Each structure stands twice: as structure tokens, then as C-alpha cells.
């Protein structure tokens, strides 16, 4: 059994802390909000981010980051992608030298256009890094419903250790050495979930959503391959698997935000109504920049960005996509 520290106490961090504690590991949760941690410790529930999921008695809560990281063999970062750099930098002085870093954020850093592993390589180059990604809503994982994800790293041994640490009879973990593809699949699918939500908000049917998802995975793969990913990865759990669940479930913040935008709610107000980070928005801007630099065509992504910027209405964006010049599918 391992000593694990979870940095971040949102819905996903909470669900994984519950899972890891249930697997018999010694788990400590840390976050900047000491009041939230104290309330969760007393009430045995994260009422704000994951209500209805009881927290194990063995789960430990520690607001002091240095104390929380003491002796940790594995450090799980469960913070929004735009805050990963700051949290890793803050943790760096206290990280045990042999600790494995696991990140579950799905996004691209907006200003630098770097993936999460690239940030880790820059900030903490001596540490082994693993990305955990796949179709995995916190609301279901916290309730011990079946889920399957990928553990990806350039260090196969580290990926396999994370696989053994997280895996149980309802949380199946595969390993994958294509870190670029796994990270991009997890990030880019959030953009398509925004698009799927916009389609739903406009009142369009299953046909439209299926078409958007299918052409969306084509865009994701196109950009991924241009950036060094393996095309097969996008047919796997962190690609089409995560895309399906994020585009079709009401657990998806990105889809729910898209629904509001499709109904005419301004993007900023839509994000405010969701009340949590909507990764697809920042990732959309980053993806458009990456696509431009790589010379990759991503019409769906570009139309979603135009909707977010107010350059196009959702209806005009759909019309633009539907009236593009005829093409071969292959």
C-alpha cells in the first residue's frame, strides 16, 4: 500500500481520494481552503463539489502543504489545468525526491500552449510523471460505478505502478505510452463537448450531435498527429471514449455550458451559472493557436471559438459548418 497525497479538493480530487482510500492506501487531501477541509473532515462529505458521496473515516485532511506532502510516495494533482503550474511550483520544495507525480487535469496552458506533462518537465524535471485520463465522471467514480481509464507516461514502470495503485473491480486502468496523444485527447474533447452542448441548446437532434462528435474526433486526431501523437490513441479511452461521455452526459460541465450558450446565454454568464471551471473554453483558444502554428484545419474548433468571442452566433456557426465546400471524408 502507498502513501498518497491528493492536491485539490474539487469533485475529481474527492472521488479519487475516496477510491484510493478504498483501495487501502494511506491518503491525505490538501487544498488552500482550510475551512472547506475542516468541514469535510467533520461532516465526512464534500458538500460543495461531490455531495452524497461519503468520505472514508481513514481519509486525512491537511491544509499545511509541507505536512501533507511529507513522506508521500505518489502525489496526485487534481486542480484545473490553468492552475497546475502554480500548484506544482508551490509543492516543489516539499516533494519527496522519489515521489511519482500523477495529473488528472485535462487542458492546455493558455499562454504557453504547453501540455501538462510539458509543464511538469519544466518545473519538476527530475520527477516521474503520469497522466490519468479517460471517460470518468467524478459523480460516478465516487459512487463506485464501473469506469475505465488510461495511465500514460514516458516511463512505463511509473505508468504500471499507477495502474496497480488505482485499479480495482470497478475502476479498470490500462497503460498507454503515448503521453502526447492521451493528454491531447483528454483536453481537446472538452471543446467538442461545448459544441455538442451548443447543438443541444439550439434544439438539434441526435444526428447533429453524432456528426459533430465524428468530425470532432477527426479534428482532434489531425492536430494530435501534427504534434507527435499516435493516431490510434484517439480511438481509445482518452480519445473517443472520453469524447462520448463528455458530449452526451449532463455530468459534463462543458456540455452544460454549451447548452446555455446555444440557448442564447452569453459565454461568461454561462460559465458563472455552471459555477465551476469549464476547461473547454481555455482549451479552445489554445487549440486554435496550436492549429494555426501547425498548419492544421480545425473548422469546428474555430467556429466554437468564434461563438465564445461573439464573432458568430451559434446558429450562424452551424450554418457556416454545414455549407462548407464538398469534401471526401477520407
Amino acid at each position: 500500500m502507498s502513501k498518497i497525497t491528493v492536491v485539490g479538493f474539487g469533485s475529481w480530487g474527492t472521488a479519487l481520494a475516496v477510491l484510493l482510500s478504498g483501495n487501502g492506501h494511506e491518503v491525505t487531501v490538501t487544498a488552500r481552503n482550510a475551512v472547506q477541509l475542516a468541514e469535510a473532515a467533520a461532516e465526512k462529505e464534500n458538500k460543495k463539489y461531490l455531495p452524497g458521496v461519503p468520505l472514508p473515516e481513514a481519509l486525512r485532511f491537511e491544509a499545511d502543504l509541507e505536512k501533507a506532502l511529507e513522506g508521500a510516495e505518489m502525489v496526485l494533482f487534481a486542480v484545473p489545468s490553468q492552475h497546475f503550474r502554480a500548484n506544482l511550483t508551490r509543492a516543489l520544495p516539499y516533494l519527496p525526491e522519489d515521489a511519482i507525480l500523477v495529473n488528472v487535469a485535462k487542458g492546455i496552458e493558455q499562454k504557453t500552449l504547453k501540455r501538462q506533462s510539458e509543464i511538469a518537465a519544466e518545473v519538476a524535471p527530475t520527477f516521474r510523471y503520469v497522466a490519468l485520463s479517460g471517460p470518468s465522471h467524478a459523480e460516478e467514480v465516487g459512487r463506485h460505478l464501473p469506469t475505465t481509464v488510461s495511465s500514460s507516461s514516458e516511463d512505463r514502470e511509473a505508468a504500471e505502478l499507477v495502474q496497480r495503485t488505482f485499479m480495482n473491480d470497478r475502476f479498470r486502468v490500462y497503460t498507454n505510452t503515448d503521453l502526447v496523444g492521451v493528454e491531447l485527447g483528454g483536453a481537446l474533447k472538452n471543446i467538442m463537448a461545448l459544441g455538442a452542448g451548443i447543438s443541444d441548446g439550439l434544439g438539434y437532434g441526435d444526428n447533429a450531435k453524432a456528426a459533430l462528435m465524428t468530425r470532432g474526433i477527426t479534428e482532434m486526431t489531425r492536430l494530435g498527429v501534427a504534434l507527435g501523437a499516435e493516431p490510434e490513441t484517439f480511438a481509445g479511452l482518452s480519445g473517443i471514449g472520453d469524447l462520448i461521455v463528455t458530449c452526451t452526459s449532463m455530468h459534463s460541465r462543458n456540455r452544460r455550458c454549451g447548452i446555455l450558450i446555444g440557448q442564447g446565454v452569453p459565454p461568461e454568464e454561462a460559465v458563472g451559472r455552471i459555477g465551476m471551471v469549464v476547461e473547454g473554453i481555455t482549451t479552445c483558444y489554445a487549440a486554435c493557436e496550436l492549429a494555426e502554428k501547425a498548419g492544421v484545419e480545425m473548422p469546428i474548433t474555430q467556429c466554437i471559438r468564434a461563438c465564445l468571442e461573439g464573432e458568430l452566433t451559434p446558429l450562424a456557426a452551424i450554418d457556416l459548418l454545414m455549407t462548407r465546400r464538398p469534401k471526401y471524408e477520407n
Side-chain angles (χ1 to χ4, degrees), residues 96-281:
E97 61 180 16
D98 293 329
I100 293 178
L101 309 183
V102 183
N103 194 358
V104 294
K106 299 173 180 177
I108 300 167
E109 193 171 44
Q110 195 165 13
K111 292 182 179 180
T112 66
L113 305 183
K114 290 187 175 182
R115 292 177 287 105
Q116 304 294 285
S117 62
E118 292 177 307
I119 296 170
E122 181 182 321
V123 176
T126 62
F127 289 87
R128 292 183 290 172
Y129 175 94
V130 178
L132 197 68
S133 186
S136 48
H137 288 310
E139 294 84 354
E140 296 184 5
V141 172
R143 292 164 53 206
H144 200 54
L145 299 179
T147 308
T148 307
V149 299
S150 292
S151 168
S152 182
S153 177
E154 293 175 351
D155 186 317
R156 183 183 292 272
E157 183 180 322
E160 290 174 350
L161 178 56
V162 169
Q163 179 185 47
R164 293 193 298 272
T165 301
F166 281 79
M167 192 160 163
N168 62 36
D169 64 344
R170 289 296 179 270
F171 196 82
R172 182 168 178 80
V173 184
Y174 290 85
T175 56
N176 188 320
T177 56
D178 181 17
L179 183 57
V180 177
V182 167
E183 287 190 314
L184 286 175
L188 298 174
K189 56 84 186 176
N190 286 327
I191 305 169
M192 302 309 159
L194 276 173
I198 290 171
S199 177
D200 289 334
L202 287 168
Y204 296 153
D206 296 336
N207 292 344
K209 188 188 296 185
L212 186 144
M213 291 166 64
T214 305
R215 297 308 302 169
I217 197 70
T218 300
E219 287 192 14
M220 290 165 57
T221 305
R222 192 184 294 144
L223 180 60
V225 170
L227 297 178
E230 298 293 332
E232 294 83 4
T233 300
F234 295 90
L237 291 165
S238 59
I240 193 68
D242 211 355
L243 179 73
I244 291 169
V245 76
T246 313
C247 288
T248 60
S249 173
M250 283 304 286
H251 289 314
S252 167
R253 291 177 296 215
N254 292 281
R255 181 188 172 216
R256 284 188 281 124
C257 185
I259 290 172
L260 292 172
I261 294 171
Q263 291 171 342
V265 177
E268 285 189 12
E269 183 181 338
V271 172
R273 289 195 197 180
I274 298 301
M276 289 183 278
V277 172
V278 180
E279 292 275 23
I281 291 180

Side-chain angles (χ1 to χ4, degrees), residues 279-302:
E279 292 275 23
I281 291 180
T282 51
T283 302
C284 185
Y285 290 108
C288 284
E289 287 190 60
L290 283 171
E292 184 177 352
K293 288 184 177 183
V296 171
E297 188 180 33
M298 298 185 75
I300 297 174
T301 303
Q302 289 157 351

Side-chain angles (χ1 to χ4, degrees), residues 50-116:
L50 201 61
V53 174
L55 302 179
E57 291 290 336
L59 203 58
R60 179 171 169 255
F61 300 88
E62 179 55 72
D64 185 305
L65 184 59
E66 183 176 3
K67 291 180 181 177
L69 291 171
E70 187 176 353
E73 299 164 73
M74 191 174 290
V75 181
L76 172 65
F77 287 88
V79 297
S81 62
Q82 304 307 312
H83 301 297
F84 175 54
R85 180 185 293 273
N87 277 272
L88 179 57
T89 300
R90 194 165 65 94
L92 187 60
Y94 315 121
L95 290 173
E97 61 180 16
D98 293 329
I100 293 178
L101 309 183
V102 183
N103 194 358
V104 294
K106 299 173 180 177
I108 300 167
E109 193 171 44
Q110 195 165 13
K111 292 182 179 180
T112 66
L113 305 183
K114 290 187 175 182
R115 292 177 287 105
Q116 304 294 285

